[in-house]
Amino acid sequence: MIIADASVLIALAKTGRLGLLMELYGEVAVGPRVKAEVVEGGKKIHAPEVSLIEAAFEAKWMLEVTPTSGERRLSRRILKGSRLHEGEAEAIALASSRGAIVLLDDKEARLMAEATAVRYMGTAGVLLEAFFRGKLDFGGLEAAINELSRVIWLSPDVVGEILRRGREAGR
């Protein structure tokens, strides 16, 4: 199981690659704040990709998990000491307590995950992992990274590193 923040779910849904999460990790857990952000928030702005996220919940490979009291306390501490959104803090707290990797794109959220010894990965990292596990060929990785860069900002260094690592793997 892996814990996801909203940004990764939204980006993968917008690029038509949300299903990679199920293929790679089996189950994806989100807290109630992230679910509200992607589902209710997506409906408010009439985002067409919200139907893909709802379908993942209906298929039960995306699960809403209820934070424990300890996870809620950690989330509040993270919020006090940062400028993170509630969903990001909740995702980091869930991953910390459950020993899971958290999927995050926000730079400050990644720094907070690092500071709390939580392993993290971004959307581009998910695409690279899909390539390494044979879910994408190199052309598919290139296309996915190009599409992702139209949805979220990716530094040229990140794009170059992802494609370099893919080329070096020789697939």
Side-chain angles (χ1 to χ4, degrees):
M1 179 189 306
I2 199 156
I3 309 291
D5 179 42
S7 62
V8 176
L9 300 177
I10 293 166
L12 288 172
K14 282 184 174 189
T15 60
R17 290 181 171 81
L18 185 67
L20 283 175
L21 293 176
M22 192 258 315
E23 291 179 44
L24 294 171
Y25 310 111
E27 290 182 339
V28 177
V30 299
R33 300 216 184 261
V34 168
K35 184 177 182 189
E37 187 177 337
V38 295
V39 176
E40 284 78 35
K43 286 179 179 181
K44 281 182 187 173
I45 63 168
H46 306 290
E49 59 276 357
V50 78
S51 63
L52 298 173
I53 295 169
E54 286 182 307
F57 280 109
E58 288 170 17
K60 298 191 184 333
W61 63 263
M62 191 171 297
L63 313 165
E64 180 181 0
V65 296
T66 303
T68 65
S69 59
E71 290 165 341
R72 287 192 302 275
R73 276 193 305 277
L74 177 54
S75 182
R76 284 192 298 272
R77 279 199 315 268
I78 290 170
L79 284 169
K80 274 184 164 178
S82 70
R83 294 177 301 177
L84 298 185
H85 296 126
E86 290 179 341
E88 294 162 334
E90 181 182 72
I92 293 168
L94 289 169
S96 174
S97 146
R98 297 168 193 229
I101 295 173
V102 64
L103 300 177
L104 301 161
D105 282 327
D106 180 78
K107 184 177 181 177
E108 189 172 344
R110 296 171 130 200
L111 291 172
M112 182 59 71
E114 205 168 278
T116 54
V118 171
R119 294 178 302 151
Y120 64 87
M121 183 184 324
T123 308
V126 169
L127 296 174
L128 183 61
E129 186 167 341
F131 169 76
F132 285 140
R133 291 214 209 158
K135 307 296 180 187
L136 295 172
D137 61 16
F138 186 73
L141 176 63
E142 281 183 306
I145 290 294
N146 285 331
E147 289 171 28
L148 181 62
S149 67
R150 287 191 287 272
V151 172
I152 64 172
W153 185 82
L154 289 175
S155 79
D157 290 343
V158 168
V159 171
E161 179 66 12
I162 295 287
L163 296 177
R164 181 191 65 75
R165 289 178 66 188
R167 261 192 299 290
E168 285 177 359
R171 295 180 71 186

